[in-house]
Amino acid sequence: KAWRWKVVLSSTKRVPFPTVFLTTLVGFMANNVLPARAGELVRIIALGKKEGISKTTVLGTLVLDRVFEGVGMFAVLVALPFLITTPDWMRQGTLVFVSLMTAVLTVLILLVRSESERWITLLPVSEKWTTVLQTMVGKLKDGFKTLNNPWTTAVVLLISAAVWFIQGYMVY
């Protein structure tokens, strides 16, 4: 999982693997002692401070990492009926999950490739808040830069699928 996050981060900044790995472990540890998966926030803060990256950008990379993890799970769910007998409810759930992941990926790709900051000017907020929101959305989009590189995106997708296949094999 740390390797996948490192590849996602590489479109923003080259971060050494040991730093990403240790940050991931700290986040997992925090998830065990803090409620509501607050370890993800710990990862964002720790990596942002250590590497001097905007925490909003780190949040974007983490969101994208989670989406890729979902796509990896999707790959396993699609392949599963070809490997073992699966019940109807599982096939129906897979169809819903595939639809959801397709929608999320489509929205992210559209967000990255569009002038997404324009819609903020339509919000009924002051000019100061408009500027703040535009800056935040711009930094969040920086975390999604991996989607601009088809090769990096393919590598991350392969890592995600491999991780899920390995975890599934361990349980099976």
Side-chain angles (χ1 to χ4, degrees), residues 60-76:
T61 65
L62 202 52
V63 166
L64 191 58
D65 181 60
R66 290 296 178 207
V67 168
F68 281 128
E69 185 170 14
V71 172
M73 185 189 318
F74 154 74
V76 170

Side-chain angles (χ1 to χ4, degrees), residues 2-16 19-21 23-24 43 47-48 51 53-54 57-62 64-65 142-143 145-146 152 156:
W3 182 31
R4 180 184 58 225
W5 191 31
K6 180 190 179 348
V7 175
V8 171
L9 280 163
S10 70
S11 296
T12 304
K13 180 179 180 184
R14 299 251 182 237
V15 180
T19 302
V20 177
F21 182 69
T23 303
T24 302
R43 285 172 68 181
L47 190 71
E51 291 296 320
I53 306 171
S54 159
T57 301
V58 177
L59 171 64
T61 65
L62 202 52
L64 191 58
D65 181 60
D142 286 345
K145 283 181 180 177
T146 298
T152 305
V156 174

Side-chain angles (χ1 to χ4, degrees), residues 75-133:
V76 170
L77 288 175
V78 168
L80 205 55
F82 298 106
L83 302 173
I84 61 174
T85 305
T86 56
D88 286 339
W89 64 265
M90 184 179 247
R91 281 185 237 123
Q92 292 168 351
T94 299
L95 182 61
V96 170
F97 186 72
V98 166
S99 302
L100 179 66
M101 289 310 300
T102 301
V104 168
L105 263 178
T106 302
V107 167
L108 285 176
I109 289 169
L110 290 174
L111 180 69
V112 167
R113 295 182 184 253
S114 72
E115 293 294 324
S116 60
E117 292 86 355
R118 275 196 234 165
W119 62 269
I120 295 171
T121 60
L122 303 173
L123 296 174
V125 295
S126 69
E127 190 174 319
K128 177 183 175 187
W129 275 105
T130 299
T131 304
V132 168
L133 289 172

